[in-house]
Amino acid sequence: QVQLVESGGGLVQPGGSLTLSCVASGSVFSQYAIAWFRQAPGKEREILAGINWTGGSIYYAESVKGRFTISRDYAKNTVYLLMNGLNVEDTAVYYCAADRRPRRMSITTDRNEYDPWGQGTQVTVSS
């Protein structure tokens, strides 16, 4: 089974940038779409971006479109989330997750369709 580990979170000032990494173990990583989610205190977990197994289909939530970029490196079994123009509303725990279904061409926004999940990495935007 695929296991996911996020890293790259931290404290950043408003307007700053961070790049999150999601490293997957297991040889089947390349067959699954990967998505990034976040959950702020008292709020539901929301999808931010997703990339399908071929890398040819990408989804962004409206809240991050134009500021965040998702990409994947098959050689490193890693999916990245480049975050620019961070603001205090971006403060949350960020998670990556793998689609339950292999080789799905589209990006599902239903979080119940994702398993497994990483442990999360905290992103705090504050001056």
Side-chain angles (χ1 to χ4, degrees):
Q1 185 175 351
V2 175
Q3 291 185 315
L4 305 175
V5 178
E6 304 98 333
S7 63
L11 174 64
V12 62
Q13 291 187 340
S17 299
L18 279 176
T19 298
L20 305 183
S21 299
C22 173
V23 180
S25 62
S27 60
V28 295
F29 167 75
S30 63
Q31 299 184 34
Y32 291 88
I34 303 292
W36 284 96
F37 294 76
R38 70 183 176 193
Q39 188 166 20
K43 294 188 176 181
E44 289 192 353
R45 192 170 298 189
E46 60 171 339
I47 188 169
L48 302 175
I51 185 166
N52 79 338
W53 69 287
T54 68
S57 179
I58 289 176
Y59 165 84
Y60 293 105
E62 285 299 321
S63 59
V64 304
K65 196 174 290 185
R67 297 191 299 129
F68 291 10
T69 303
I70 190 171
S71 61
R72 66 190 299 167
D73 184 330
Y74 294 93
K76 295 183 179 180
N77 271 15
T78 302
V79 173
Y80 301 98
L81 187 68
L82 169 61
M83 306 186 294
N84 293 320
L86 288 164
N87 55 61
V88 294
E89 290 75 26
D90 294 313
T91 295
V93 179
Y94 284 67
Y95 301 88
C96 64
D99 193 333
R100 291 177 182 273
R101 189 193 303 177
R103 299 181 297 280
R104 192 193 319 239
M105 294 307 294
S106 60
I107 307 299
T108 176
T109 59
D110 181 356
R111 62 178 182 264
N112 295 314
E113 289 295 311
Y114 288 89
D115 179 69
W117 294 76
Q119 84 288 351
T121 185
Q122 176 71 45
V123 172
T124 302
V125 185
S126 175
S127 56

